[in-house]
Amino acid sequence: MLKINQLDKFFGKKQVLHQISFEIKRGHIVGLIGANGAGKTTIMKAILGITAFDGDIQLDDQKITVDNHSALEHVGALIEYPGLYPYLTGREQLLLFANGPQRHERVNQTIEELHLAAYADVKTKKYSLGMRQKLGIALAFVNRPELVILDEPMNGLDPKATMALRQLIIRKRDEGTTFLISSHILSELQKVADDVIIIDQGRLIIDATMSELLKKSQTYFWIATDQDELAQKLLAEQGYVVSNEEQGLKISRSSISSINDLLKLLWRKDIVIKDIKETQGDLEKSLLDVLASTK
C-alpha cells in the first residue's frame, strides 16, 4: 500500500534520515520504533507531505510530495500533539474536519468509538491532556481513512483508555484499515503490531514481522515447585541455565532440549510442580538486543 524508497532528509547541512526504504502492506499494523531523535516523526511528516525530503514515497502507486497531496485523501493522522481550536467543542472540531456525506453520522459514531460523549460538547480549552489526545485520535479516524498514521497515540491516556484504543485499532485493522504507529510504550505495540520497523540515528535497522523480531530475544520457562532450592540445584547439575526468582525457577529455553526430560528429573525426586509456563518474546529486550548488535 505504501512504498518508501531511498528517503533522505536534511535540516540545513545535517542529515537526519539516511536512505530509508520500506513497504507497508494493506491491512497491517506497523510499529515504528526508535529512540528520541531517531527520525520517526520526520518519516511520518514526510509521508504526509508536510516536510520536504529527497527520495520517493508512493501511496497506492500515487507519488507524494510537499506540493502534491492528492494521494493523501484517504489518510488520517495524529502527529505529535493535536492542534485544537480552544473555543470549539470536541463535536464542533470533528464536524469541521469531517468531509463528504453523512458527516454528522460519522462524527457521532467516532464520538461513540472513542468514548468522548461525556465531554464532546465541552469547549476544548477545558480538556485535560488525555481528553485532548483522544480527540486528536478521533480527528484521525473521523473520515474513515484507509491509512492511519499515529505518533505516540497513548500519550496522556489512562490504562482504561489505552486498552480501549488498542481494541479499536485491532478492530479497524480487521476491517481493512492500515496503521503506522510510533510509540515508546513497547508493551502496547507488541500487542497490536503485525510488523516492526526499527530506526536508529536516521537509519533503518530492522524491517521484519513482530514474530520474527520477538524470536531474537531469549525465552524462558517459569516453573514453581514446592522445593525450589532443591529443584534449582538438580537442574543446574544437569546443565540447565536456571535461576531462583521470586516468581519461581527461571530456566533458559535454549538450555532445554526436552521439557519432558526436565519434568521427569523433578518428579523422580518427588518435587511437586505447582505451575509451569513459557514466556513470550519481549519487544523491549529484542529492541535493545538489536540496537546493541549494531553498535
Side-chain angles (χ1 to χ4, degrees):
M1 181 183 192
L2 179 69
K3 299 178 181 179
I4 296 178
N5 188 40
Q6 303 295 298
L7 179 63
D8 288 323
K9 172 65 181 177
F10 291 84
F11 288 114
K13 294 182 178 180
K14 183 179 180 181
Q15 187 170 2
V16 295
L17 295 179
H18 303 261
Q19 300 288 286
I20 301 290
S21 298
F22 62 86
E23 297 184 3
I24 294 179
K25 297 177 182 178
R26 186 178 302 278
H28 279 224
I29 301 172
V30 179
L32 182 60
I33 302 173
N36 289 333
K40 305 184 301 298
T41 299
T42 303
I43 290 172
M44 290 179 158
K45 288 181 175 180
I47 294 170
L48 293 169
I50 55 178
T51 188
F53 59 87
D54 297 313
D56 184 65
I57 301 178
Q58 293 188 30
L59 179 63
D60 287 331
D61 298 321
Q62 294 185 67
K63 193 177 183 68
I64 297 172
T65 70
V66 290
D67 302 314
N68 182 11
H69 293 175
S70 59
L72 300 171
E73 180 181 358
H74 300 294
V75 177
L78 171 63
I79 302 294
E80 296 177 324
Y81 297 99
L84 304 177
Y85 296 108
Y87 291 99
L88 293 182
T89 67
R91 189 183 305 276
E92 288 167 342
Q93 300 251 13
L94 289 166
L95 285 168
L96 180 65
F97 283 93
N99 55 42
Q102 299 179 319
R103 291 168 58 244
H104 289 270
E105 290 83 349
R106 280 189 284 108
V107 165
N108 291 337
Q109 185 178 353
T110 303
I111 288 172
E112 182 179 347
E113 289 176 337
L114 272 297
H115 307 288
L116 301 175
Y119 47 88
D121 298 303
V122 175
K123 288 185 171 66
T124 60
K125 68 177 182 177
K126 298 181 179 179
Y127 278 21
S128 67
L129 174 61
M131 293 160 67
R132 293 173 62 86
Q133 189 73 0
K134 287 176 71 174
L135 180 57
I137 295 166
L139 289 167
F141 278 92
V142 70
N143 288 315
R144 299 297 177 262
E146 296 176 9
L147 171 65
V148 178
I149 298 175
L150 300 174
D151 188 14
E152 300 294 344
M154 283 80 174
N155 273 356
L157 299 186
D158 60 33
K160 183 178 179 180
T162 297
M163 182 179 68
L165 175 59
R166 183 203 321 141
Q167 293 170 341
L168 178 60
I169 288 171
I170 292 172
R171 187 165 71 249
K172 293 291 186 183
R173 186 273 312 275
D174 292 343
E175 294 170 358
T177 306
T178 306
F179 287 87
L180 178 62
I181 303 175
S182 168
S183 178
H184 286 108
I185 308 176
L186 300 184
S187 60
E188 286 300 323
L189 271 186
Q190 184 172 342
K191 293 171 184 175
V192 300
D194 302 297
D195 306 307
V196 180
I197 295 165
I198 298 178
I199 305 294
D200 187 35
Q201 298 181 19
R203 291 179 169 83
L204 189 147
I205 303 300
I206 288 286
D207 179 4
T209 66
M210 177 66 78
S211 60
E212 288 171 343
L213 180 59
L214 293 178
K215 287 177 183 177
K216 295 179 181 293
S217 69
Q218 181 96 317
T219 57
Y220 300 92
F221 274 102
W222 291 89
I223 297 178
T225 77
D226 65 341
Q227 302 180 69
D228 282 352
E229 290 186 9
L230 175 58
Q232 180 189 14
K233 182 175 182 293
L234 290 170
L235 293 173
E237 288 173 351
Q238 294 299 315
Y240 294 97
V241 179
V242 56
S243 59
N244 193 348
E245 310 279 340
E246 184 176 347
Q247 337 48 329
L249 300 177
K250 180 181 179 183
I251 308 164
S252 172
R253 183 68 178 84
S254 60
S255 70
I256 300 174
S257 58
S258 168
I259 189 64
N260 287 334
D261 290 344
L262 183 151
L263 296 176
K264 288 176 183 176
L265 176 64
L266 300 179
W267 289 333
R268 289 192 192 108
K269 298 296 182 179
D270 294 324
I271 295 174
V272 176
I273 297 171
K274 297 179 176 179
D275 189 26
I276 181 170
K277 61 185 176 181
E278 185 176 10
T279 62
Q280 298 297 314
D282 181 77
L283 180 56
E284 181 178 28
K285 179 65 166 58
S286 298
L287 173 62
L288 294 174
D289 289 346
V290 166
L291 295 178
S293 69
T294 64
K295 301 304 182 184

